[in-house]
Amino acid sequence: MKKYLFLAFAVCVVRFGFAQTNVTFTRDYFYDREEQLADALRQIQEGDKYYSEAEKRNPSPLVFNLSAEALYAAALPFYLEANIFNPNNVDLNRRIAKCYLFVQREKALFYVQKAMSISVEIHPEMYLIQALAAQSMSQFDQAIESYKQYKSRLSPQGYAQYAGLIEKHLAECVAAKEAVEKPQNIFVDNVGQKVNTSGPDFNPLFVSKEGSMIYNRGVLSPGSKKMTYNILSAPKDKGVFADPQQTSFPDAGYAVLYITEEEDYALLYNPNKGKGDIFEIYRNADGTWRKPVSAGKNVNHRKWDERTAYLSPEGNVMFFSSNRPGGYGGYDIYYATQDFRGKWSKPVNIGAAINSEYDDHILYVSASGNTLYFASQGHESIGGFDIFQASLEKGAWGAVKNLGYPINSPSDEISFYPARRTSEFYISSNRVGTHGSFDVYRLISVNPNKKVVSNYEDNLLAYHAQHISEFVIESTVQIKGTEMVTLNGVVTNEQKNPVKAVISIFNTRTGIEVAQFESNAATGQFTLPVPVGSNYAMLVTAPGYMFQSQNINVPYGTKSRDLYRYVELLKMEVDKSVALRNVFFDFGQYIPTAASFKELNVLFQLMVDQPNIKVEISGHTDNRGSLRANQILSERRAKAIVDFLIRNGIDPARLSYVGYGYERPIAPNTTVEGRSQNRRTEFKIISQ
Amino acid sequence: MRKIFVILLLLMMASAVVAQKPLVVKVKSASQSATGKITAETVYNEGVALLEHGEFESAMGKFTKALEMKPQFEQALSNRAVVKNEMRDYEGAVADYDAAIKLKASAGAYFGRGQAKYVLKQTEAAMDDYTKAIELDKTFAQAYYYRGGLYFEQQDMTRAIEDYNKAIEYRPDYIFAYNDRANAYRALGDIEAAMNDYTKAIALDEHAIDFAFNNRGNLKRSLGQYAEAIEDYTASIKVNPDYYIAYNNRGLAKIDLGDYEGAIRDFTEALRIKADYHYALNNRGNAKFKQREYAAAAADYSAAIDLFPRYGYAFLNRGLAREMLRDIDGAKSDYTQAMELGVGAAGEYMKEMNF
């Protein structure tokens, strides 16, 4: 049994191993499927006819070539058919990837990565295909890495030719990463499969009624392997395009570049006449079109391609693109003016402000004639051709502005047309998600001035933000017939032995010291007559002990002639704590009242006299109100005392504070007296 | 018990040595005078002590009893009015103050009545009372301050500042007056003076003034100083960890800086503290909107509307979120609601729909 299991595993390993290596289209691998092998080879041969021609026209995928694109698209079905038979051939997967690069870039990534995974030695171009596909899919980090790999493998000749372009793509990736992070509020909709096909569908234009869209569809002419165009018209109803129809333009093979709103004049492009020429065409009064006529020798160079064109609003200036020599690189935008006989003048290069070292094509001229929209691979493109805008400012072309993401994408955008009567506009792009090659997209912009509204709370008036009681309380009244009362007391230590202590009595309302005296050394006893009608602070201090404070309220109407107070002084030791009974706060407040400073000064003096002690000040409240509110209040009160000490020069490192709210009562909160006991501030020695 | 026994023993010993007073005294009723008679004054004095410690219900009983004994007792009327104000019985407070003023006009009574009338939205009457309080006491800082508040609410910033100046003149540590004067300066566009006053208020008690930090943060945010504003909001939260307003405002400053995740955390914290804070829900929706999470944003706007059905801005925002979700009918419905609730921009938003 074990033996069979091992055998089964070995077979699996072998099969798996095959899947990871290059499988050639030979009898070595397909000796039992010779007929299918022959068919697959025929498919490859058919595909190669287009592919090799495309390769001739397009030496590197770094360079854009629309006619090569059609050839790659034509090769693709044959290769895919062969790939069904044998999906593990390095070269076929690479070719399919390269075809997809021109047809649907997002699909290229799968095939190139497949090819790389089964290659013994990776062909440098695979890195480039991977980079271009990843860039189009917004996988910028992967793209950057692949571009670098490709660049490092270029031959000296290839380096000289393409290093600059690679750097440009790297810059595009960086710019695109930033742009994608900050998209504009624009909806991008593919106008659908009735308009868009697997080939290039581009240059949407609208005429007066805007009921139909006129656009171009590129097809490869059978046999000649040349790209040719059809001008189609797609009716639009409630925003939806119906099946396109042939227009009444007389000849196939032309692409429309421009048409007047009255539909009586148009500019056409024919790639197969000259090296690619621009034609004018007029409409007869009966609605039929005349034959297209070349725009003339000044516009159409006999050796070079003129690719796009658009007229100024008055119709007397033609902007067009051409790859003729003498420009700034690649295709440049030129303009020519029309004389009274209708002849176009010698063209003038529009200048370096607009033309870059790469390809630049005119797309649209605004109704005012002051703003140009053009496609460029240069400037600050975020990938391939982007759409840019530039306006005339004081007779010169101003700064070139990229229309941004998502109008532009990491792929190519090559058309731009704003609908005249709605705020929609149309582009064509080979971005991820096309039905193949270039598709027409409708863009709808949400007005950037439409912004969400936030709410915040501002200018908070203090008396709204924080309730404090500022009512004026009438004071107590004097009652006739009241007298002096006698304050009696005794001072002891914790062992109940008498202590000789200094006793200070202050009037808490006036702050005036009423008396200072000592308790009897033998008995600890003291006696003092005080007038009725005041509140008194009694502070008791003795060397080696923590001070004690008591509050003695003797209001008018006090019935007793004698008051008794017992004072127990605690040794100055760690963890001993006493209540500051003469530190006062207004109800709900956390700033000590003026009457508090006698006792706070005693506390301060203690800190000065005992420079090694560290203390904790704690705040406590009664149980009225929420725990949270009381905790905050008690903490603020404790902090206020610490702040007082710090302001007077005590090292903050010797001080800490805590608010306990009503969590540590020392008396029941059910009575007025109990609550009064619980409202307190304490200080505790935490080290000495 | 043992402790009391020891105390008594010590006192007995002491009395024996120095022949002092007797140790045990029979305690009479607390309200009896020295002559043994319970008077309105003794009851009143007990009420004052209770009021000073915030024992409002007990104080109320004392003042009422004192007034039963002596109906023309103006101080008892005034203090009972204070208690009624504290207990939010503002009509009752006004009635007591009326009676007290009839007996004897005092600055405190006019001021207290002004406070009660303000809460009862009798603004002009409150203004008159504050003015009368000032006439009786030209140095009455609080009366100036609260009258300044009324001028502020009436958008008369110049007069408000005059009153705040007086309040500060007579009470130089009046934190509230500095904060509110800063608000008035800001309303007049005097940014420097406003910033100075907020800073003074904070310097007077930097550990306590949460709203002054918040206000200064808002001022900084309005100047585009987002990071500095966040520092102030954070200080405000440190003073008062439950200050949901500062969390909300800090969230907005984080949106300004593009820190949408941080903003969402702040709005969520504000909602944890105050679950019905509809501003925070609306603003959290805005942070999600900025993240292009339109469905999540719309859900927050809906929750804000559930809490406050007349929240026009939340309708406007939800309309825009729905527009981004291409829910055209929903967007139109929300813009219409926003318009009906007085949000003028909603009409423009509706007009500029591109569908």
Side-chain angles (χ1 to χ4, degrees):
Chain A
M1 182 66 187
K2 262 185 179 176
K3 189 177 171 184
Y4 289 117
L5 273 176
F6 174 77
L7 198 60
F9 176 71
V11 169
C12 286
V13 169
V14 170
R15 281 190 167 277
F16 182 73
F18 267 143
Q20 296 307 306
T21 55
N22 183 26
V23 177
T24 55
F25 283 87
T26 59
R27 292 183 62 196
D28 294 345
Y29 287 94
F30 302 103
Y31 59 90
D32 55 346
R33 297 166 66 195
E34 285 188 25
E35 202 175 314
Q36 293 96 322
L37 174 63
D39 189 45
L41 286 168
R42 270 196 298 277
Q43 296 288 348
I44 292 171
Q45 215 171 3
E46 279 301 305
D48 283 351
K49 288 178 187 169
Y50 296 100
Y51 187 85
S52 55
E53 180 63 25
E55 290 282 271
K56 269 190 232 164
R57 294 187 193 179
N58 210 63
S60 168
L62 288 165
V63 180
F64 179 82
N65 186 315
L66 202 57
S67 65
E69 177 191 306
L71 292 165
Y72 286 118
L76 189 56
F78 299 108
Y79 287 156
L80 288 173
E81 194 64 35
N83 198 57
I84 293 170
F85 174 72
N86 174 14
N88 296 313
N89 182 271
V90 171
D91 198 46
L92 184 61
N93 276 292
R94 182 176 63 82
R95 286 174 185 226
I96 291 172
K98 195 162 181 184
C99 291
Y100 269 130
L101 210 50
F102 292 85
V103 179
Q104 279 176 292
R105 284 200 169 182
E106 65 271 28
K107 290 187 178 172
L109 201 57
F110 169 81
Y111 289 97
V112 75
Q113 287 178 343
K114 171 80 178 178
M116 291 165 101
S117 72
I118 55 180
S119 293
V120 176
E121 190 178 348
I122 293 174
H123 191 292
E125 192 185 55
M126 291 182 192
Y127 287 109
L128 179 59
I129 296 169
Q130 179 169 250
L132 289 165
Q135 183 182 355
S136 74
M137 294 174 76
S138 302
Q139 296 175 12
F140 301 114
D141 292 333
Q142 164 81 77
I144 288 168
E145 178 58 28
S146 300
Y147 280 127
K148 287 178 179 171
Q149 291 278 4
Y150 176 64
K151 193 177 167 189
S152 70
R153 286 166 171 77
L154 280 171
S155 64
Q157 190 186 359
Y159 191 91
Q161 198 169 356
Y162 296 120
L165 279 174
I166 297 296
E167 285 303 320
K168 180 183 180 304
H169 277 278
L170 287 168
E172 286 174 359
C173 288
V174 173
K177 267 180 97 166
E178 196 178 322
V180 168
E181 289 281 308
K182 295 175 187 169
Q184 303 173 69
N185 283 345
I186 290 173
F187 300 117
V188 180
D189 295 325
N190 190 302
V191 299
Q193 261 180 308
K194 288 189 173 169
V195 169
N196 294 318
T197 61
S198 61
D201 302 281
F202 64 101
N203 219 35
L205 300 168
F206 287 82
V207 287
S208 56
K209 293 168 194 164
E210 294 193 0
S212 296
M213 175 176 72
I214 297 171
Y215 71 105
N216 305 311
R217 177 175 291 171
V219 288
L220 199 64
S221 66
S224 70
K225 299 187 184 71
K226 286 184 177 175
M227 175 67 81
T228 186
Y229 299 108
N230 283 326
I231 303 170
L232 301 173
S233 172
K236 182 182 165 197
D237 183 27
K238 293 176 185 169
V240 179
F241 290 97
D243 286 325
Q245 300 152 4
Q246 290 291 336
T247 59
S248 56
F249 285 104
D251 291 314
Y254 288 93
V256 64
L257 303 175
Y258 166 86
I259 188 166
T260 58
E261 199 174 348
E262 297 75 24
E263 293 182 76
D264 56 358
Y265 172 87
L267 293 174
L268 307 178
Y269 169 67
N270 192 323
N272 301 315
K273 296 208 171 175
K275 292 288 179 180
D277 281 355
I278 292 167
F279 291 79
E280 295 178 278
I281 187 167
Y282 291 87
R283 196 165 207 161
N284 293 316
D286 63 1
T288 57
W289 290 96
R290 297 180 199 168
K291 280 197 174 296
V293 180
S294 168
K297 286 179 183 173
N298 287 337
V299 171
N300 292 317
H301 196 292
R302 67 188 174 86
K303 290 184 179 173
W304 301 95
D305 182 25
E306 286 67 43
R307 180 67 62 86
T308 64
Y310 211 90
L311 288 194
S312 65
E314 294 79 19
N316 58 348
V317 180
M318 184 195 294
F319 297 90
F320 65 95
S321 63
S322 171
N323 61 351
R324 67 189 61 189
Y328 294 93
Y331 285 81
D332 272 10
I333 299 171
Y334 296 79
Y335 65 90
T337 52
Q338 196 174 36
D339 66 16
F340 66 96
R341 290 170 299 179
K343 190 181 172 191
W344 295 103
S345 67
K346 282 192 184 277
V348 178
N349 189 303
I350 202 165
I354 288 179
N355 288 319
S356 69
E357 60 184 302
Y358 303 101
D359 289 356
D360 306 285
H361 296 285
I362 184 72
L363 300 181
Y364 179 78
V365 181
S366 71
S368 69
N370 286 332
T371 303
L372 300 185
Y373 294 83
F374 61 100
S376 175
Q377 292 174 312
H379 300 291
E380 290 185 358
S381 163
I382 63 169
F385 279 105
D386 277 2
I387 303 167
F388 294 85
Q389 177 194 60
S391 296
L392 265 182
E393 294 167 11
K394 294 177 185 170
W397 293 105
V400 168
K401 183 187 164 199
N402 188 312
L403 295 192
Y405 181 83
I407 299 173
N408 291 316
S409 74
S411 301
D412 300 298
E413 285 69 39
I414 57 162
S415 309
F416 178 82
Y417 191 88
R420 290 188 174 103
R421 285 172 182 78
T422 68
S423 53
E424 302 169 348
F425 53 103
Y426 291 80
I427 63 168
S428 41
S429 170
N430 60 354
R431 63 187 57 194
V432 171
T434 69
H435 296 95
S437 183
F438 285 88
D439 276 7
V440 176
Y441 288 84
R442 174 172 52 195
L443 279 66
I444 301 169
S445 169
V446 176
N447 187 330
N449 294 324
K450 288 165 94 168
K451 289 177 178 161
V452 288
V453 180
S454 297
N455 282 106
Y456 63 102
E457 296 196 49
D458 195 10
N459 277 352
L460 297 173
L461 289 173
Y463 62 88
H464 286 166
Q466 193 176 77
H467 174 74
I468 60 162
S469 176
E470 296 207 85
F471 299 113
V472 177
I473 299 173
E474 296 290 342
S475 59
T476 52
V477 293
Q478 191 164 0
I479 299 167
K480 286 175 187 170
T482 53
E483 313 167 350
M484 303 290 281
V485 297
T486 304
L487 176 63
N488 306 286
V490 62
V491 183
T492 75
N493 60 18
E494 291 162 276
Q495 290 73 42
K496 314 304 176 197
N497 297 319
V499 173
K500 183 183 175 183
V502 175
I503 301 165
S504 301
I505 306 286
F506 296 92
N507 183 317
T508 59
R509 290 193 198 281
T510 63
I512 294 169
E513 189 173 55
V514 174
Q516 189 181 77
F517 52 94
E518 292 182 343
S519 57
N520 187 298
T523 65
Q525 200 174 19
F526 62 87
T527 301
L528 181 75
V530 290
V532 171
S534 288
N535 183 279
Y536 299 99
M538 181 172 76
L539 301 174
V540 184
T541 57
Y545 292 95
M546 293 167 73
F547 73 86
Q548 263 275 14
S549 81
Q550 292 197 6
N551 182 261
I552 301 161
N553 195 28
V554 193
Y556 292 116
T558 299
K559 59 291 170 190
S560 174
R561 289 175 185 278
D562 293 285
L563 297 173
Y564 297 94
R565 285 290 184 273
Y566 170 65
V567 180
E568 183 182 275
L569 294 177
L570 306 178
K571 272 279 186 196
M572 190 82 71
E573 290 172 349
V574 172
D575 282 343
K576 292 284 174 60
S577 65
V578 294
L580 302 171
R581 288 289 177 196
N582 289 296
V583 173
F584 306 105
F585 301 92
D586 286 330
F587 179 67
Q589 297 302 293
Y590 44 85
I591 306 295
T593 63
S596 309
F597 289 98
K598 291 292 179 192
E599 181 153 333
L600 290 176
N601 282 330
V602 173
L603 176 60
F604 167 71
Q605 196 57 48
L606 174 79
M607 298 299 293
V608 172
D609 294 343
Q610 304 288 333
N612 296 322
I613 64 168
K614 290 184 178 176
V615 303
E616 174 195 270
I617 308 292
S618 60
H620 304 264
T621 65
D622 61 33
N623 71 344
R624 290 172 300 166
S626 72
L627 176 61
R628 179 70 188 141
N630 277 300
Q631 193 277 325
I632 292 170
L633 182 63
S634 59
E635 185 175 305
R636 287 177 175 182
R637 285 176 169 177
K639 180 75 171 73
I641 292 169
V642 165
D643 287 343
F644 165 80
L645 294 170
I646 293 170
R647 276 200 300 275
N648 283 283
I650 303 299
D651 181 358
R654 298 173 61 201
L655 302 163
S656 60
Y657 64 93
V658 62
Y660 289 113
Y662 53 69
E663 290 183 310
R664 296 190 178 188
I666 55 172
N669 272 308
T670 49
T671 64
V672 171
E673 179 55 29
R675 289 196 288 272
S676 173
Q677 290 283 316
N678 290 333
R679 292 190 296 270
R680 68 198 189 279
T681 311
E682 290 182 354
F683 86 95
K684 183 167 81 172
I685 296 177
I686 53 176
S687 76
Q688 68 179 138
Chain B
M1 188 64 196
R2 207 170 150 187
K3 190 174 174 183
I4 294 167
F5 177 74
V6 173
I7 295 166
L8 290 174
L9 188 65
L10 279 165
L11 287 172
M12 284 171 72
M13 286 164 64
S15 66
V17 173
V18 294
Q20 294 229 347
K21 307 295 173 192
L23 291 171
V24 181
V25 177
K26 190 180 177 189
V27 178
K28 293 176 187 171
S29 159
S31 297
Q32 285 178 302
S33 72
T35 58
K37 190 183 172 191
I38 300 171
T39 65
E41 284 76 12
T42 56
V43 175
Y44 165 81
N45 283 348
E46 289 171 7
V48 172
L50 291 164
L51 174 55
E52 284 176 339
H53 287 103
E55 297 282 357
F56 300 128
E57 285 185 18
S58 302
M60 173 83 93
K62 295 289 181 187
F63 294 135
T64 300
K65 191 175 173 190
L67 284 165
E68 284 166 5
M69 297 166 79
K70 185 180 170 184
Q72 306 296 304
F73 197 162
E74 73 266 15
Q75 291 99 326
L77 282 164
S78 272
N79 279 354
R80 191 171 70 174
V82 169
V83 173
K84 287 179 177 175
N85 259 338
E86 293 284 9
M87 297 175 76
R88 301 183 181 184
D89 172 14
Y90 302 110
E91 281 97 351
V94 169
D96 276 353
Y97 278 129
D98 284 345
I101 289 168
K102 208 171 171 183
L103 290 169
K104 186 185 175 188
S106 75
Y110 275 120
F111 173 70
R113 192 172 71 177
Q115 299 266 60
K117 286 182 175 175
Y118 171 76
V119 179
L120 293 170
K121 300 192 186 308
Q122 298 168 17
T123 312
E124 287 306 317
M127 181 80 86
D128 288 345
D129 276 352
Y130 293 144
T131 302
K132 280 174 186 151
I134 291 166
E135 283 167 7
L136 288 171
D137 180 359
K138 300 274 189 239
T139 66
F140 198 166
Q142 290 98 317
Y144 284 112
Y145 168 69
Y146 283 92
R147 193 176 69 175
L150 287 180
Y151 284 130
F152 185 99
E153 290 179 8
Q154 292 172 358
Q155 304 296 310
D156 186 349
M157 299 302 166
T158 307
R159 282 190 171 163
I161 289 171
E162 283 170 11
D163 271 355
Y164 293 141
N165 288 344
K166 285 283 183 190
I168 290 167
E169 181 184 341
Y170 296 118
R171 195 168 143 190
D173 64 347
Y174 207 163
I175 298 173
F176 281 22
Y178 282 110
N179 176 78
D180 292 6
R181 190 172 69 178
N183 293 341
Y185 277 132
R186 190 177 165 198
L188 288 177
D190 190 344
I191 302 302
E192 192 180 344
M195 195 73 86
N196 282 341
D197 269 357
Y198 287 135
T199 303
K200 276 181 200 160
I202 289 164
L204 281 167
D205 185 359
E206 67 180 78
H207 300 290
I209 305 303
D210 47 11
F211 54 85
F213 273 120
N214 178 74
N215 283 343
R216 194 173 68 176
N218 285 343
L219 178 56
K220 289 177 178 174
R221 185 171 163 248
S222 73
L223 297 172
Q225 300 167 3
Y226 304 122
E228 292 87 346
I230 286 174
E231 283 177 16
D232 271 353
Y233 297 134
T234 304
S236 181
I237 290 165
K238 197 176 168 194
V239 170
N240 180 3
D242 287 343
Y243 199 25
Y244 57 89
I245 291 172
Y247 277 110
N248 180 60
N249 291 340
R250 190 171 72 177
L252 293 175
K254 287 181 179 175
I255 288 182
D256 294 330
L257 287 174
D259 176 12
Y260 305 127
E261 282 302 322
I264 288 169
R265 280 197 298 276
D266 274 351
F267 297 132
T268 303
E269 186 61 19
L271 287 165
R272 187 192 64 72
I273 298 164
K274 186 171 166 57
D276 62 348
Y277 194 32
H278 55 280
Y279 279 3
L281 274 168
N282 176 68
N283 294 342
R284 190 172 69 181
N286 289 350
K288 292 175 181 173
F289 186 97
K290 298 275 184 184
Q291 289 181 318
R292 309 179 83 80
E293 299 286 347
Y294 302 117
D300 272 351
Y301 299 137
S302 295
I305 291 165
D306 286 345
L307 285 172
F308 181 35
R310 300 190 58 73
Y311 197 173
Y313 284 133
F315 277 107
L316 181 83
N317 293 341
R318 192 174 67 180
L320 192 50
R322 286 178 167 171
E323 195 177 331
M324 298 308 292
L325 290 164
R326 311 186 85 166
D327 170 8
I328 306 312
D329 291 339
K332 279 182 181 167
S333 163
D334 278 345
Y335 289 149
T336 305
Q337 284 275 357
M339 272 193 287
E340 286 171 5
L341 291 169
V343 180
E348 292 301 309
Y349 280 38
M350 177 96 99
K351 214 182 331 176
E352 292 177 3
M353 285 177 73
N354 292 323
F355 304 98

